[in-house]
Amino acid sequence: MKLTLVTGLTGLILLATIIELLRRRQLREKYGMLWLGVLVIVIPLALFPRLLDNVAGMLGVASGVSLVLFLGIVFLLLVCVHLSWEVSALEEETRTLAEDFALLRAEIDAERAARNELVSHDG
Amino acid sequence: MVNGKRVLIIIPALNESGSIGDVVREVRGELPGVDVLVVDDGSTDRTHAVAAAAGALVARLPYNLGVGGAMRLGYRYAYEHDYDVAIQIDADGQHDPRYVPKLVDLLDDTDLVIGARFAGEGDYNVRGPRRWAMVMLSAVLSRIARTKLTDTTSGFRAANRRIIEMFARWYPVEYLGDTVETLVHTARRGYKIRQVPVAMRRRMAGTPSHSPAKAMIYLGRAFAVLTLALIRR
Ligand SMILES: Nc1nc2c(ncn2[C@@H]2O[C@H](COP(=O)(O)OP(=O)(O)O)[C@@H](O)[C@H]2O)c(=O)[nH]1
Ligand SMILES: [Mg+2]
């Protein structure tokens, strides 16, 4: 009973945190939806940890709780992979930005040099 | 100048080299005295060159940001160059620039004017889940904006100076956020929104960014975006 209270409360606090972050526009829609989806699955499990016992039995896992732990770790791994993927995309974008910036600077410098040239010829 | 107002036409474009030239030429022909800004959103074709050759100002983003990202750039440009009115038009030729003066006129006592299909003019049909999504969006957004809105995802909109200022600072980049969330945000802040019936034409070239297979996902996302917009401040 006590355990249910702890897990259930944790789930609810997480839910409230995510909703508040979304409300303040600190989380992009795609991540917000992901975490809300996760919580919709996790909170019932937190309140009734034995919910998955039947499924666990069918898969040959000793108890529903271990199954949840296993699935949880798999899920976290997937999230990590996804984040690495996002970071790679971001790095590619900053690289492009830096190149664009350098190209622009080169153009401006060339123009300024050309202008100075003109001025010194005039004078 | 249209009716004494400085007007900027903003055209977000992604790989529209087949139509962008004609669209820019038509806009400039129908509306002499307006400036046209094409935001090329990382196109891999010659969209930027074709648009520039047709006489548009072209802002090229280094990579794809989506319609929302392109539009914020457009509104920032409008804000920094002191335009009175900014009008978004699609690059595929579906929007008829001859409606622009009508939209601009309405901005006298409205802040945001939407050119809406399904509102009596022209023929434009959508069926299935996309249709349901549109019905749901219209119902909810009409209530929030306290005016009848039948085409909430229309990319044909005119904004006055106050809206330009707001959109230059804040404009969602998320898919559907650029239409749905901006409407919720605008209405909530007490700005006046109105729609005008416009006839939609067919795409001149290229392919639309939505396929029928994505319709169901579209419905789900529309629902999610709307819910989010409603709980957000
Ligand atoms: N900036 C930008 N514009 C886009 C993008 N995708 C589509 N567009 C433009 O948005 C407009 C509407 O696109 P379209 O596919 O015709 O959508 P529909 O009219 O709602 O079916 C066109 O001008 C497209 O060029 C994008 O990723 N970035
Ligand atoms: Mg279109």
Side-chain angles (χ1 to χ4, degrees):
Chain A
M1 202 54 232
K2 239 190 197 159
L3 177 69
T4 313
L5 208 66
V6 173
T7 51
L9 220 61
T10 315
L12 288 179
I13 290 173
L14 279 175
L15 183 67
T17 312
I18 290 166
I19 290 183
E20 191 52 30
L21 280 174
L22 272 172
R23 257 168 55 75
R24 296 187 183 182
R25 303 174 185 286
Q26 309 273 323
L27 272 189
R28 286 282 295 266
E29 172 211 9
K30 49 180 176 178
Y31 300 115
M33 288 300 147
L34 171 74
W35 293 117
L36 283 181
V38 169
L39 282 179
V40 166
I41 298 171
V42 165
I43 289 181
L45 282 175
L47 294 174
F48 309 103
R50 310 229 73 92
L51 223 52
L52 279 187
D53 277 4
N54 281 335
V55 186
M58 265 168 13
L59 293 174
V61 180
S63 86
V65 179
S66 351
L67 183 63
V68 169
L69 275 179
F70 170 69
L71 290 180
I73 290 174
V74 170
F75 175 75
L76 286 180
L77 267 176
L78 284 179
V79 170
C80 282
V81 171
H82 174 75
L83 286 178
S84 324
W85 178 78
E86 291 273 3
V87 170
S88 308
L90 280 177
E91 280 178 5
E92 199 50 41
E93 286 180 1
T94 39
R95 181 179 159 198
T96 310
L97 267 187
E99 287 167 3
D100 272 25
F101 184 78
L103 285 173
L104 278 179
R105 191 149 64 183
E107 231 163 81
I108 290 174
D109 285 349
E111 241 163 66
R112 189 180 299 147
R115 222 175 319 119
N116 287 344
E117 192 92 332
L118 268 179
V119 170
S120 57
H121 277 276
D122 287 347
Chain B
M1 289 279 200
V2 175
N3 306 332
K5 292 180 180 135
R6 288 189 66 217
V7 176
L8 178 71
I9 307 276
I10 306 169
I11 309 183
L14 176 66
N15 296 331
E16 300 278 8
S17 59
S19 57
I20 189 74
D22 289 333
V23 171
V24 170
R25 270 187 295 275
E26 187 186 13
V27 168
R28 296 185 67 224
E30 292 289 339
L31 308 161
V34 306
D35 295 331
V36 180
L37 174 71
V38 171
V39 182
D40 176 5
D41 195 8
S43 297
T44 48
D45 63 6
R46 306 204 26 88
T47 296
H48 67 98
V50 177
L57 295 155
V58 181
R60 265 171 95 186
L61 287 164
Y63 40 80
N64 187 268
L65 289 185
V67 179
M71 283 312 296
R72 184 166 78 181
L73 174 59
Y75 285 116
R76 282 185 65 178
Y77 185 92
Y79 179 66
E80 270 158 36
H81 292 82
D82 284 319
Y83 284 92
D84 301 312
V85 175
I87 298 180
Q88 176 185 354
I89 283 188
D90 276 2
D92 55 10
Q94 284 185 298
H95 299 147
D96 191 333
R98 277 169 295 184
Y99 286 101
V100 164
K102 202 165 156 190
L103 267 64
V104 173
D105 275 344
L106 280 166
L107 282 178
D108 284 337
D109 45 21
T110 314
D111 296 295
L112 186 66
V113 179
I114 302 171
R117 311 162 272 191
F118 328 114
E121 268 195 65
D123 49 345
Y124 189 94
N125 277 312
V126 180
R127 269 164 282 119
R130 256 184 99 81
R131 171 97 218 154
W132 309 333
M134 286 175 164
V135 169
M136 170 188 72
L137 292 173
S138 305
V140 177
L141 291 172
S142 295
R143 282 199 61 149
I144 298 172
R146 275 179 263 106
T147 178
K148 193 165 169 240
L149 301 176
T150 51
D151 186 14
T152 51
T153 56
S154 165
F156 195 8
R157 311 162 135 205
N160 71 3
R161 184 81 195 144
R162 295 203 291 168
I163 300 287
I164 292 175
E165 188 173 348
M166 177 168 82
F167 285 172
R169 257 182 285 121
W170 172 87
Y171 205 86
V173 73
E174 289 149 2
Y175 179 59
L176 274 176
D178 63 313
T179 46
V180 174
E181 205 184 347
T182 50
L183 284 183
V184 174
H185 199 80
T186 307
R188 283 245 174 104
R189 270 151 193 75
Y191 294 112
K192 234 181 117 198
I193 304 174
R194 251 189 80 176
Q195 76 172 26
V196 201
V198 298
M200 262 323 142
R201 301 182 297 191
R202 274 185 208 296
R203 253 180 174 281
M204 285 180 183
T207 47
S209 44
H210 321 285
S211 76
K214 294 183 192 152
M216 210 56 216
I217 300 173
Y218 181 85
L219 177 63
R221 296 194 70 170
F223 186 73
V225 169
L226 189 60
T227 314
L228 256 183
L230 291 175
I231 65 167
R232 275 177 169 176
R233 317 191 265 213

